[in-house]
Amino acid sequence: MIAIGCDHAAVEMKNTVRDYLTEKGFEMKDLGTNGEPCDYPDMAEKLCAEITSGNCEKGILICGTGIGMSIAANKIKGIRAALCADSFSTKYTRLHNDANVMCMGARTLGQGLACELAEIFLTTEFEGGRHQRRIDLISAIEAKN
Ligand code: RB5
C-alpha cells in the first residue's frame, strides 16, 4: 500500500498522481487533504505514521514546493524523505538512499512529470551493499540526536 497526502496547495496534483498510480496497479491510501486548509507538518506526520507503523510501504507528499513536507518528514525516526524534481535524483534516492517518502512541489512541477517521477520512485529497488552501511550511519545519527 502506498500513502499519498498533500496540503491545500497541491490537491489537484495529489489527485492526478493518485489516479495515475492506481491505473498502474498500485494500491493507494489517500490521506487528503481534499481542499480543506491543511498545515503541511500535520500531513507529513500523519503520512509518516502510516509508514513507521507498517501500514504502508512508501509515501508521497506534495505541497507547494515539496520543501516543507520534506523538512517535516525527515524529523521522524525511520523516515528518509527525498525532494524529487528530476528523474536521475528520483532513481538514485531509491538506489542509494532507500528513500521511503518522496516529496514533490505542485507549484514547481508539471503534473505529467510528477506522475512519471512517482512511478520511477515506486518501481526502483534499493541497491543495498555499501549503501546499507550509509543508511545505518544515518540511523545512528538519528539515535544520537
Ligand atoms: C503553502 O502555502 C506552502 O507554504 C506549502 O505548500 C509549501 O510550499 C511549504 O513548503
Side-chain angles (χ1 to χ4, degrees):
M1 179 100 75
I2 307 299
I4 189 165
C6 67
D7 72 359
H8 48 270
V11 177
E12 200 185 325
M13 180 176 280
K14 183 264 292 175
N15 291 341
T16 301
V17 172
R18 178 203 61 206
D19 292 349
Y20 176 85
L21 293 172
T22 302
E23 282 263 309
K24 293 279 173 184
F26 292 97
E27 201 183 341
M28 302 300 295
K29 181 165 186 178
D30 184 349
L31 303 176
T33 178
N34 290 307
E36 53 288 355
C38 167
D39 292 324
Y40 62 82
D42 293 336
M43 178 53 68
E45 188 175 22
K46 183 173 164 184
L47 181 137
C48 291
E50 294 288 333
I51 295 168
T52 55
S53 67
N55 284 345
C56 292
E57 181 195 328
K58 292 193 185 73
I60 300 172
L61 284 167
I62 313 175
C63 63
T65 58
I67 297 172
M69 287 291 197
S70 56
I71 292 172
N74 278 314
K75 298 294 179 197
I76 296 159
K77 204 170 176 180
I79 297 298
R80 291 177 300 280
L83 177 60
C84 297
D86 68 273
S87 58
F88 187 90
S89 307
T90 302
K91 179 177 168 187
Y92 276 84
T93 199
R94 287 290 311 129
L95 289 174
H96 289 186
N97 312 130
D98 197 17
N100 48 15
V101 172
M102 84 179 302
C103 302
M104 295 190 286
R107 293 174 177 155
T108 59
L109 298 180
Q111 301 210 0
L113 179 58
C115 291
E116 191 169 291
L117 296 181
E119 190 174 359
I120 291 170
F121 186 79
L122 296 179
T123 56
T124 307
E125 292 302 322
F126 177 48
E127 255 177 21
R130 70 186 190 281
H131 302 294
Q132 183 57 55
R133 190 174 55 79
R134 293 161 184 159
I135 300 304
D136 294 343
L137 289 169
I138 293 173
S139 302
I141 293 173
E142 233 171 29
K144 275 191 295 192
N145 290 274

